[in-house]
Amino acid sequence: MSSFVLRLKDIDRTNVKVVGGKAANLGELSRIEGIHVPDGFCVSTEAFKRVVAENSMNELLDQLSLLKIADRDKINKLSSEIRSVVEGIAIPQEISEEITGLLSALGEKDSYAVRSSATAEDLPTASFAGQQDTYLNIDGEKAILKHISKCWASLFTDRAVIYRIQNGFDHRKVQLAVIIQKMVFPQASGILFTADPVTSNRKVLSIDAGFGLGEALVSGLVNADNYKVRNGSVTDKKVSMKKLAIYALKDGGTKEQEIEPPRQTMQALNDKQILQLERIGRTIEEHFGCPQDIEWCLADDTRLPDGQAFYIVQSRPITTLFPIPEANDQESHIYISVGHQQMMTDPMKPLGLSIWQLTAARPMAKAGGRLFVDVMALLSSPATRETILDLMGRSDPLIKDAMVSILEREDFIQSLPGEQKEQGASKNNQGPSLRDFQTLKEYDPTIVDELIRRSETSIKELKQNIQKKSGPDLFDFILEDKEQLRKGLSDPQSFGVIMTAMNASSWLNEKMKEWLGEQSVADTLSQSIPNNITSEMGLELLDVADTIRPYPEVIEYLQRVKDDDFLKGLDQLNGGKETRDAINKFLNQYGMRCAGEIDITKTRWSEKPITLVPIILTNIKNFRPGESNRRFEHGLWEALKKEQDLLNRLKQLPDGEQKSTETKRMIDLVRNLAGYREYPKYHIVSRYFIYKLALLKEADLLVKSNILQEKEDIFYLTFEELREGVGTNKLDYQIISKRKEEYKLFEKLTPPRVMTSDGEIVTGKYKRENLPADAIIGLPVSSGVTEGRARVILNMEDADLGDGDILVTTFTDPSWTPLFISIKGLITEVGGLMTHGAVIAREYGLPAVVGVENATKLIKDGQRIRIHGTDGYVEIL
């Protein structure tokens, strides 16, 4: 077999490096019984490499590899130069003779499609769809050779170059093959998705269809018909007006043609053809083992009984689908995202996933590097349905609305055996609501201090005891300790404190609205509450800034440091010792925190203290000395003023003394208990950091024994796999390498809040009336209205905030709290009433709207916006 030209029938999916993704898939398709693929051959990447090598293009490619997306003009100029060089190259005689020989064998008088096939195309991690060029209906050897060169050159169009930069592909390593296939002259053509591209439902197949060549659909000239098919039945049809089609000309090339009026509203495919195409799609999907995006043509074929055949001209994986959580059965499941509850929707590495699962209160499923909880049983039972809906309504209303929409279908969820559906409507049979959870009947203001003391003692003991453990004993010790952690997280007293504060806040909001017509009073009453470990952290970083502010030499030093050893360099500076002591004191208390802290593998502030430097410098720039105390005192004054105002007004009402007394009791519950809401998370991450340091010690030993290449490689093993590796002194690096690649893919995926075992992503909606037409809607979690400059920040390390900016981001966890000092308001894509960002926003008195879908895309960095924290929406001014 020639290394330069290969027949499609001799190619399969193992040949990607030689023929590119598209050709490899076409070769593979041609081997499936009953699947028709137009005959042809492929000019391999070896031919492309030879042409590049013989024409000294390496210098141009080196220049191209240095460019960034922002260098649009340079990309345009250099890409154009490379294309001119490639198109001007004569194809070596040895290769051109092989091409013309195959054309002669196939039929040199036939017309052909000349199509690009890149080595970084149609891969599971990136589709590269439409990045290289295709030429249809090309006649004659000379024209075909010319269009092969044009395909090679299309590897360097601006769009292809920019796509590679975005996806991290090296221009010098991506090669191009060219497919030459017999031209198909279709009556209809289109695209078939074996999973619904809108909902991601794997059981729903979606077909776009139009008359003539598929170019009319791809280029957007016409609207396609759309047919949905499920299990051999056409479930939905959208027949579009199709005024134009593109057809091949007899003398080569293509032409737009107007469709005669009677056919414009006809189905491009009849129902029999739709179901035939469904069977073809499922056959191809089964062969490749994953959902496929398939291009098809329906053309005359006199060899077949029907006189027609569906030809498949491309099939590639659908790269945008979120994986379905793992299940060991064929039952229906409803999964809700753990990440949306924990304010960390980024993927987690395997060690992080497994340790979070070890300490979780209920079983979890994995998908796409994220964790999900199956709530099917809870929703199926009227005894627990209202409880889970109530809980989700407070945590994330979009999750609740999605679950309600599934319940309303009445076909996905079956009630548990022995239970009547009508029970769910009866108040007496709903099971416990959120308010029925155990709360503190007898209020004791010292209970929070006692819970914190217990936690501190437990952490101190863990630090001492774990130092004596190593090898397999360390893993046994962690497994025993995580039971203590679990026990602490489900402690009735701890849970009672949190629920009592939540219920008291809800009571205050409801009753003050009913009695006084005042909305969201608990937000003001929650300012500057005691024992909030997270809000205290933000204020203490202001104190660190106060320590450094008098020393210009230190400030200048911090403005230019880049590495994590910067603390050592402070010793030589005036004020350096004071600075180092202040930062170390902060790290001793909060150094276990970081962005995405529920994942044990994330780098902690103690491991990378440089992360805090920009925040400290911002605090020095934006605030005067003593800001920490001023902030706390101002919040306290606002809360006490609101309390006195409410109590005075209540006394003027009928039964005023009783209402005032009861309200005072609820205010005391909020002010004395609500701060504890942040402590359990602090306790978890404190324990996790101790585990992590001990596990990294073991990793150091594995590195010294040449069993492990880098100590951070343990992050790509589960806890049990690492335990086995330490016990046997053996590790499987194939697993580690594979998971590193998977993690890169997972980083590109956006996890859904709710999905089903069919892969369907179910989205919830806010139901709100009387808002401005252009309002961007979210969940109100901290009252007030403010205007300011939007700062869209995706990574805390990139924050450059001015005093009075409004922070717009995907999610915030406790590590973001130091930034809250500098902002006027908060907008996040993820969040609920009791998530960390909402709690801290209320305590700091910041208007906040969370759960704003696509906020970081809808709002542009630098825009002036108004945030309505009381009513839950944002306006772009």
Side-chain angles (χ1 to χ4, degrees):
M1 188 190 301
S2 164
S3 63
F4 296 126
V5 183
L6 300 88
R7 290 288 296 264
L8 280 182
K9 65 183 182 181
D10 296 325
I11 295 168
D12 61 28
R13 56 182 144 178
T14 64
N15 302 123
V16 171
K17 289 185 178 179
V18 179
V19 298
K22 189 182 297 179
N25 286 354
L26 284 169
E28 190 73 30
L29 283 164
S30 67
R31 294 163 178 259
I32 306 174
E33 187 176 350
I35 303 299
H36 301 288
V37 177
D39 200 3
F41 59 92
C42 182
V43 181
S44 74
T45 56
E46 293 301 315
F48 176 80
K49 284 192 276 189
R50 176 168 163 182
V51 167
V52 170
E54 288 181 359
N55 290 274
S56 303
M57 284 176 54
N58 287 332
E59 186 179 337
L60 290 171
L61 294 177
D62 287 342
Q63 290 177 39
L64 194 64
S65 69
L66 298 174
L67 299 181
K68 310 293 182 192
I69 288 178
D71 304 321
R72 294 297 175 103
D73 291 341
K74 291 179 181 177
I75 289 171
N76 180 275
K77 184 179 177 183
L78 192 54
S79 297
S80 178
E81 185 178 347
I82 295 172
R83 289 197 305 275
S84 295
V85 170
V86 174
E87 287 191 42
I89 295 170
I91 297 175
Q93 185 177 352
E94 176 188 355
I95 299 172
S96 65
E97 286 178 355
E98 286 191 44
I99 293 168
T100 54
L102 273 173
L103 284 172
S104 179
L106 285 170
E108 56 191 17
K109 291 185 179 179
D110 287 325
S111 297
Y112 289 85
V114 183
R115 312 171 69 198
S116 305
S117 179
T119 52
E121 183 176 54
D122 296 349
L123 303 177
T125 55
S127 74
F128 279 72
Q131 297 308 313
Q132 280 78 53
D133 289 343
T134 287
Y135 301 95
L136 300 177
N137 205 24
I138 307 301
D139 292 338
E141 294 174 0
K142 187 175 179 181
I144 288 170
L145 290 169
K146 176 185 172 185
H147 282 85
I148 289 170
S149 295
K150 287 172 78 71
C151 278
W152 284 337
S154 74
L155 191 61
F156 302 101
T157 60
D158 290 9
R159 68 178 184 272
V161 168
I162 289 168
Y163 189 89
R164 288 198 293 275
I165 294 172
Q166 287 173 328
N167 287 274
F169 285 89
D170 190 333
H171 304 297
R172 294 162 295 194
K173 292 182 180 177
V174 177
Q175 312 294 337
L176 196 77
V178 180
I179 307 160
I180 295 92
Q181 276 180 292
K182 279 193 173 183
M183 188 67 192
V184 173
F185 300 95
Q187 302 160 10
S189 56
I191 301 166
L192 156 65
F193 297 96
T194 64
D196 190 323
V198 177
T199 67
S200 298
N201 194 324
R202 308 309 201 266
K203 292 186 177 177
V204 174
L205 185 141
S206 180
I207 299 169
D208 285 350
F211 295 120
L213 291 164
E215 301 308 296
L217 303 185
V218 174
S219 61
L221 276 178
V222 296
N223 293 322
D225 287 356
N226 180 256
Y227 318 122
K228 304 281 192 206
V229 192
R230 181 172 182 143
N231 298 330
S233 296
V234 180
T235 57
D236 189 49
K237 292 181 197 173
K238 174 178 165 279
V239 180
S240 297
M241 174 80 74
K242 300 173 285 293
K243 293 185 177 182
L244 292 173
I246 296 177
Y247 291 102
L249 297 170
K250 287 185 179 179
D251 299 326
T254 61
K255 179 187 177 183
E256 285 181 26
Q257 187 173 315
E258 191 170 331
I259 297 172
E260 55 273 26
R263 290 185 67 222
Q264 289 178 3
T265 54
M266 286 176 57
Q267 286 183 211
L269 298 178
N270 61 41
D271 284 13
K272 180 182 176 184
Q273 290 166 337
I274 292 169
L275 296 180
Q276 184 184 350
L277 196 52
E278 181 208 19
R279 291 190 292 273
I280 290 170
R282 291 298 180 211
T283 299
I284 293 171
E285 179 184 59
E286 185 178 356
H287 182 85
F288 283 105
C290 64
Q292 296 288 300
D293 166 357
I294 299 165
E295 293 181 22
W296 56 268
C297 300
L298 177 64
D300 291 335
D301 193 326
T302 55
R303 298 170 297 176
L304 298 174
D306 289 345
Q308 291 178 321
F310 280 105
Y311 285 89
I312 304 303
V313 294
Q314 191 162 344
S315 186
R316 55 179 169 244
I318 304 176
T319 58
T320 55
L321 295 174
F322 196 87
I324 300 173
E326 302 160 358
N328 297 320
D329 57 42
Q330 299 301 311
E331 302 297 318
S332 295
H333 300 275
I334 299 169
Y335 299 103
I336 63 173
S337 164
V338 173
H340 283 81
Q341 305 297 300
Q342 292 296 330
M343 296 300 95
M344 213 289 277
T345 55
D346 292 342
M348 296 169 70
K349 296 186 178 78
L351 186 62
L353 287 168
S354 61
I355 286 184
W356 186 261
Q357 286 176 295
L358 283 175
T359 52
R362 61 171 64 243
M364 295 182 180
K366 291 184 296 182
R370 280 84 170 181
L371 290 169
F372 294 83
V373 173
D374 181 8
V375 293
M376 187 67 169
L378 293 172
L379 289 173
S380 298
S381 168
T384 53
R385 185 179 302 148
E386 290 305 317
T387 300
I388 185 67
L389 289 175
D390 196 4
L391 188 64
M392 286 299 104
R394 295 184 182 221
S395 172
D396 190 325
L398 292 176
I399 292 180
K400 176 184 176 180
D401 190 66
M403 292 194 297
V404 168
S405 73
I406 297 173
L407 282 166
E408 287 172 349
R409 294 180 189 174
E410 300 186 353
D411 62 343
F412 195 85
I413 298 179
Q414 303 296 322
S415 289
L416 292 176
E419 293 183 316
Q420 296 298 316
K421 195 164 193 178
E422 290 77 9
Q423 285 181 308
S426 165
K427 187 70 180 168
N428 296 329
N429 292 313
Q430 283 182 349
S433 73
L434 194 60
R435 294 192 177 204
D436 296 324
F437 281 116
Q438 178 179 354
T439 56
L440 300 170
K441 303 296 182 188
E442 296 300 321
Y443 166 60
D444 179 355
T446 65
I447 190 168
V448 172
D449 292 335
E450 173 60 21
L451 288 169
I452 290 173
R453 187 193 63 74
R454 269 190 251 162
S455 170
E456 289 173 343
T457 302
S458 171
I459 293 292
K460 187 176 179 181
E461 289 173 355
L462 173 61
K463 281 181 179 176
Q464 292 172 343
N465 295 336
I466 204 168
Q467 289 177 5
K468 307 165 193 168
K469 306 296 179 182
S470 62
D473 288 347
L474 170 65
F475 291 85
D476 293 339
F477 175 80
I478 290 174
L479 286 173
E480 289 172 20
D481 186 76
K482 62 94 178 167
E483 289 303 324
Q484 293 293 331
L485 176 55
R486 258 188 181 178
K487 191 175 174 184
L489 294 175
S490 58
D491 176 8
Q493 272 196 325
S494 175
F495 194 62
V497 166
I498 294 169
M499 295 310 302
T500 299
M502 282 179 66
N503 291 342
S505 290
S506 294
W507 187 94
L508 285 165
N509 283 336
E510 289 173 15
K511 293 299 182 184
M512 295 309 102
K513 188 172 183 182
E514 178 188 340
W515 293 341
L516 299 174
E518 190 157 348
Q519 203 168 332
S520 304
V521 297
D523 293 357
T524 305
L525 294 167
S526 299
Q527 292 187 42
S528 298
I529 48 178
N531 296 315
N532 188 320
I533 191 73
T534 306
S535 64
E536 288 168 3
M537 175 178 70
L539 296 175
E540 286 185 36
L541 207 53
L542 281 172
D543 293 336
V544 174
D546 282 354
T547 300
I548 299 169
R549 189 177 280 105
Y551 304 109
E553 193 178 350
V554 172
I555 294 171
E556 191 274 331
Y557 171 75
L558 292 178
Q559 286 169 338
R560 55 184 167 82
V561 292
K562 300 292 182 190
D563 58 66
D564 290 308
D565 290 335
F566 76 93
L567 289 171
K568 294 177 184 175
L570 288 166
D571 289 340
Q572 315 304 319
L573 306 175
N574 179 34
K577 180 182 183 303
E578 291 84 349
T579 297
R580 191 187 64 239
D581 289 349
I583 292 174
N584 280 332
K585 180 186 174 189
F586 181 86
L587 291 173
N588 286 339
Q589 179 79 15
Y590 303 107
M592 80 294 292
R593 310 218 87 150
C594 67
E597 61 192 9
I598 66 168
D599 181 354
I600 196 175
T601 72
K602 292 279 189 179
T603 305
R604 310 283 142 173
W605 288 343
S606 287
E607 297 170 302
K608 193 177 176 63
I610 195 80
T611 304
L612 297 172
V613 170
I615 305 170
I616 294 169
L617 291 171
T618 296
N619 287 346
I620 292 171
K621 179 181 74 173
N622 288 343
F623 303 110
R624 293 177 293 121
E627 182 67 20
S628 168
N629 189 55
R630 270 196 308 278
R631 289 266 171 135
F632 187 83
E633 291 298 326
H634 177 73
L636 185 58
W637 179 79
E638 288 281 352
L640 294 177
K641 184 176 74 165
K642 174 60 73 176
E643 175 182 336
Q644 200 57 52
D645 175 58
L646 294 173
L647 297 179
N648 288 340
R649 288 160 63 195
L650 286 169
K651 287 174 183 176
Q652 311 304 314
L653 301 177
D655 300 324
E657 285 298 331
Q658 181 184 338
K659 288 175 179 173
S660 176
T661 301
E662 197 169 358
T663 299
K664 172 61 175 166
R665 189 173 81 84
M666 292 297 180
I667 291 172
D668 287 346
L669 287 173
V670 169
R671 291 209 54 78
N672 288 288
L673 303 185
Y676 180 74
R677 163 69 180 81
E678 292 291 295
Y679 210 87
K681 182 81 168 279
Y682 176 78
H683 180 86
I684 293 170
V685 297
S686 297
R687 244 177 164 77
Y688 274 16
F689 189 45
I690 297 167
Y691 296 166
K692 180 181 184 179
L693 293 176
L695 293 172
L696 285 174
K697 266 191 190 177
E698 294 298 314
D700 271 329
L701 295 174
L702 293 173
V703 170
K704 286 172 183 171
S705 303
N706 294 318
I707 296 164
L708 198 65
Q709 293 172 15
E710 297 176 1
K711 62 181 183 179
E712 288 79 11
D713 285 348
I714 65 168
F715 297 160
Y716 295 93
L717 297 170
T718 67
F719 182 81
E720 285 301 324
E721 288 168 345
L722 179 57
R723 182 188 193 186
E724 184 180 343
V726 167
T728 60
N729 281 330
K730 289 180 185 175
L731 290 174
D732 186 344
Y733 252 92
Q734 281 190 323
I735 288 179
I736 292 172
S737 299
K738 180 187 172 192
R739 287 180 181 162
K740 284 182 178 181
E741 289 303 310
E742 284 178 341
Y743 186 77
K744 289 178 187 175
L745 170 60
F746 295 157
E747 284 183 301
K748 297 177 183 179
L749 299 175
T750 301
R753 282 176 164 84
V754 178
M755 74 184 305
T756 72
S757 45
D758 292 343
E760 180 185 3
I761 293 172
V762 186
T763 55
K765 291 183 174 63
Y766 293 112
K767 295 172 175 64
R768 211 83 57 74
E769 296 176 354
N770 302 320
L771 296 182
D774 57 353
I776 300 172
I777 302 173
L779 176 69
V781 294
S782 185
S783 59
V785 178
T786 191
E787 292 180 13
R789 179 180 64 159
R791 294 313 313 268
V792 180
I793 296 169
L794 302 182
N795 297 301
M796 199 183 93
E797 292 84 351
D798 300 332
D800 180 17
L801 292 163
D803 190 17
D805 285 344
I806 294 174
L807 174 62
V808 184
T809 189
T810 46
F811 59 83
T812 64
D813 60 10
S815 71
W816 287 70
T817 301
L819 297 183
F820 287 21
I821 297 295
S822 294
I823 61 176
K824 285 174 73 175
L826 173 69
I827 301 165
T828 66
E829 294 181 345
V830 176
L833 191 64
M834 292 308 296
T835 47
H836 304 278
V839 170
I840 304 306
R842 289 195 291 274
E843 184 168 340
Y844 283 178
L846 300 172
V849 180
V850 302
V852 181
E853 291 275 10
N854 297 313
T856 57
K857 297 181 180 69
L858 295 172
I859 301 168
K860 307 299 181 192
D861 187 59
Q863 282 183 324
R864 188 158 186 83
I865 61 175
R866 182 184 296 126
I867 178 171
H868 296 258
T870 307
D871 296 315
Y873 68 97
V874 180
E875 292 178 282
I876 296 174
L877 304 178

